[in-house]
Amino acid sequence: MSTPNWTLAERAHKMNPSAIREILKVTEKPGIISFAGGLPSPKTFPIEAFAEASAKVLREDGAAALQYASSEGLPVLREFIAQQLPWDVSPDQVLITTGSQQGLDLVAKILIDRGSRILVETPTYLGALQAFTPMEPRVANIACDAEGPDPADLARQAAGDGSAADRARFVYLLPNFQNPTGRTMSDARRQALAESALAAGLPVIEDNPYGDLWFDAPPPAPLAARAPDNTLYLGSFSKVLAPGLRLGYLVAPKSLYPKLLQAKQAADLHTPTFNQRMVAEVIKDGFLDTHVPKIRALYKAQCEAMLAALTREFAGLGVEWNRPVGGMFLWLRLPAGLDSVKLLPLAVENNVAFVPGAPFYADGGDPRTLRLSFVTASVEQINIGVAALAKTLRQALA
Ligand code: PMP
């Protein structure tokens, strides 16, 4: 009998076990207070609305809901999405995806060749790096400040060494309440980036899963509204309804749509029909207009609780953090000499967990950074967890 000989494709070697998942294994300890996961609060899941909608969909449209359907997605859902976006979008440009994570995967498949240069924020969403990496791009970081990427650096890096082969294929941007830093681009920064990218002939991938989760005021208009033909926009129902539905969408310039559709067909034919119909049923009479404000209020209160706890517990420890205006995440920078990856096991001993910042950098990055989610733990847990983190820091500094 011959030995089976599975030869892995080169691209499979590029797929790494999620650095985060490996790191977070230590956090799977019972009773731990975790600020690590990027999980929406289950309190916000509209379970009753889905119970009613699923019964109704099965009763009234059962056969269609359980049948194969078009790869583009459910027409009423595509119309709803096109209508609620703040620029002129035709439903023909909307492709329903199996989570916006699939949108990132499709983008990688149709836009990246081996060795293509692509530009990302510093740091950026780890899941996007994971989607892009198997296509073997060369990933370049754009210089960033508290408002996001520097438009001048974007223009400089778009061209690369000036040769056609070195010109960046796209820049991947997260304007609202970025994962992992929680930062938001100002109106002026968005305008400058949109103009700079357009002038440089650099297409933009704009990822916006958190945009509806603002605290006091809606964020400025997306880049897609400023340069629609130069932007491929990704959205999601994960943070406003429930991530387990795996329901996202992309809005593509018309010239790009057919290729994305072919990639989508090859990937999974279409996004589950039943989930699309249930969501269409739940949201059809303005449900999100009353539901999303409740999520905003909850997350704002949780964020304020965490900021207050940090101010109280971290006084004099030399830690810096930002003040997000929406979303789910806070970003911390530890004093010089500390490394958040090394700190994590000690934190876990003290029954609290976070995500180290380093995996979010395309090039290794700043070991002093870490991400805290303020939405999954209760306010009581936030107070206990932040005190445990402060204790951990004092131990590490001693
Ligand atoms: N983009 C960003 C920035 C995210 O944080 C996430 C989820 N953590 C996704 C995309 C993927 O979301 P989903 O596939 O659930 O729509």
Side-chain angles (χ1 to χ4, degrees):
M1 233 173 42
S2 63
T3 338
N5 186 10
W6 301 100
T7 306
L8 285 175
E10 275 178 47
R11 93 178 57 78
H13 292 290
K14 307 275 173 186
M15 297 173 186
N16 293 315
S18 161
I20 284 200
R21 233 158 252 144
E22 290 303 299
I23 292 167
L24 294 187
K25 278 197 184 135
V26 291
T27 71
E28 286 161 11
K29 180 179 148 187
I32 199 159
I33 294 176
S34 180
F35 303 136
L39 308 180
S41 169
K43 284 187 214 157
T44 68
F45 300 161
I47 296 172
E48 267 316 303
F50 275 100
E52 276 173 38
S54 65
K56 184 155 184 251
V57 164
L58 286 173
R59 208 166 45 237
E60 294 177 5
D61 276 321
L66 298 174
Q67 186 55 282
Y68 283 121
S70 77
S71 300
E72 290 88 340
L74 191 69
V76 287
L77 209 50
R78 297 168 74 209
E79 275 157 34
F80 173 89
I81 291 160
Q83 270 165 21
Q84 53 98 43
L85 288 170
W87 73 98
D88 190 18
V89 174
S90 154
D92 294 343
Q93 294 172 261
V94 179
L95 177 64
I96 305 291
T97 55
T98 305
S100 55
Q101 187 67 30
Q102 182 179 52
L104 294 167
D105 184 64
L106 301 180
V107 162
K109 283 178 175 151
I110 74 154
L111 294 179
I112 302 175
D113 285 314
R114 175 187 285 182
S116 302
R117 279 180 70 249
I118 62 170
L119 309 183
V120 301
E121 296 189 27
T122 316
T124 190
Y125 170 50
L126 177 68
L129 292 174
Q130 283 180 297
F132 300 154
T133 304
M135 298 298 124
E136 304 179 65
R138 286 178 292 146
V139 184
N141 294 293
I142 313 169
C144 290
D145 60 20
E147 275 195 30
D150 172 7
D153 194 45
L154 177 123
R156 205 167 31 247
Q157 296 217 46
D161 67 10
S163 68
D166 215 46
R167 221 177 58 184
R169 291 285 171 95
F170 62 78
V171 59
Y172 170 65
L173 296 177
L174 302 129
N176 294 321
F177 329 129
Q178 196 230 29
N179 184 2
T181 62
R183 73 186 167 212
T184 296
M185 294 179 196
S186 68
D187 188 54
R189 181 64 61 94
R190 289 167 203 240
Q191 191 61 28
L193 285 169
E195 285 173 13
S196 174
L198 201 55
L202 175 69
V204 174
I205 310 300
E206 179 172 26
D207 191 6
N208 188 24
Y210 302 103
D212 285 319
L213 307 183
W214 44 268
F215 297 156
D216 295 315
L223 275 80
R226 301 160 200 261
D229 291 336
N230 197 44
T231 312
L232 195 158
Y233 178 91
L234 303 171
S236 178
F237 288 99
S238 286
K239 281 41 182 220
V240 292
L241 284 176
L245 295 162
R246 308 309 304 126
L247 205 58
Y249 52 91
L250 59 81
V251 178
K254 287 188 175 144
S255 59
L256 222 50
Y257 194 93
K259 275 296 157 209
L260 288 159
L261 184 62
Q262 285 162 26
K264 166 75 181 165
Q265 278 165 352
D268 64 354
L269 301 182
H270 62 76
T271 293
T273 323
F274 185 48
N275 293 11
Q276 294 190 62
R277 287 193 178 248
M278 271 203 304
V279 167
E281 180 60 33
V282 166
I283 66 179
K284 74 174 187 213
D285 293 323
F287 178 83
L288 292 174
D289 300 340
T290 52
H291 182 64
V292 178
K294 292 183 209 157
I295 307 178
R296 287 179 195 135
L298 175 70
Y299 287 8
K300 180 183 173 189
Q302 302 252 142
C303 182
E304 280 172 359
M306 188 172 273
L307 288 168
L310 288 170
T311 305
R312 193 174 60 237
E313 303 288 347
F314 278 34
L317 289 175
V319 180
E320 295 162 16
W321 59 89
N322 61 346
R323 180 165 272 278
V325 293
M328 299 179 14
F329 306 115
L330 259 162
W331 190 243
L332 271 64
R333 189 147 189 267
L334 303 172
L338 288 186
D339 178 332
S340 65
V341 173
K342 295 193 185 130
L343 197 69
L344 185 60
L346 190 57
V348 170
E349 270 177 41
N350 289 324
N351 282 324
V352 64
F354 56 81
V355 187
F360 293 93
Y361 292 80
D363 62 355
D366 181 350
R368 287 163 60 186
T369 54
L370 61 94
R371 188 191 77 180
L372 299 181
S373 160
F374 49 78
V375 306
T376 334
S378 67
V379 169
E380 195 193 357
Q381 288 174 319
I382 286 175
N383 287 328
I384 300 168
V386 171
L389 262 185
K391 177 181 162 195
T392 308
L393 271 175
R394 278 192 295 270
Q395 289 169 337
L397 289 166

